[in-house]
Amino acid sequence: MKYEWMDQALCAQVDPGLFFSEGPRNTSRKALRICSTCPVQPECAAFASALEGDLTAKYRYGAWGGKSVQQRAIEGGTPQVDARDEQIIRMTNRGMTPGEIAEQLGISDRTVARVRAAHREQEAV
Ligand code: SF4
């Protein structure tokens, strides 16, 4: 799923690793500074809120929409876990192919496919 506003996302122009820090307490301040100047921050925040509201906490990870994991967890009421899977879902939502995701993260296409399938199942519930 890719939206027009995503073409203006500043995070798409920098090292994605900034936005995918490991663990719930490691949201990059640099990522949040980038978010604070992003022209599509409102759209991104609304998208993140809607998406995370439909998912388990498993998928809440990294800086997104100008907010840290902790900020979004407080708003959503659940903690986050499993950083890699969240990263795969975010990259998928940015329109990246499984092959591109696998290459960037240094994991197998099969792992990407497994995580995406689990995500689809959760969305269907
Ligand atoms: S507000 Fe959203 S789209 Fe903009 S830089 Fe931050 S995470 Fe990326």
Side-chain angles (χ1 to χ4, degrees):
M1 157 174 38
K2 186 169 191 291
Y3 296 96
E4 228 171 83
W5 61 263
M6 292 177 175
D7 291 335
Q8 299 176 59
L10 293 183
C11 53
Q13 302 169 29
V14 299
D15 175 9
L18 284 175
F19 289 81
F20 303 122
S21 52
E22 295 290 332
R25 299 187 184 282
N26 294 327
T27 300
S28 165
R29 289 181 184 204
K30 189 170 181 182
L32 294 177
R33 279 197 301 273
I34 292 170
C35 287
S36 72
T37 61
C38 181
V40 293
Q41 191 271 336
E43 292 88 344
C44 178
F47 179 72
S49 177
L51 184 61
E52 291 183 331
D54 291 340
L55 299 174
T56 68
K58 177 178 181 179
Y59 295 106
R60 186 168 292 136
Y61 166 72
W64 205 3
K67 295 178 181 172
S68 68
V69 172
Q70 296 94 318
Q71 290 169 315
R72 299 195 315 280
I74 289 168
E75 291 174 4
T78 52
Q80 71 80 44
V81 294
D82 204 337
R84 186 203 61 196
D85 289 2
E86 168 75 14
Q87 189 169 2
I88 290 169
I89 297 305
R90 286 182 65 180
M91 293 170 128
T92 298
N93 290 336
R94 288 180 181 161
M96 293 177 70
T97 67
E100 290 169 337
I101 294 170
E103 184 177 350
Q104 188 156 339
L105 298 181
I107 57 178
S108 70
D109 290 13
R110 185 174 171 176
T111 298
V112 174
R114 178 184 55 75
V115 171
R116 288 164 58 128
H119 172 66
R120 283 193 300 274
E121 282 179 22
Q122 288 187 336
E123 280 192 315
V125 173

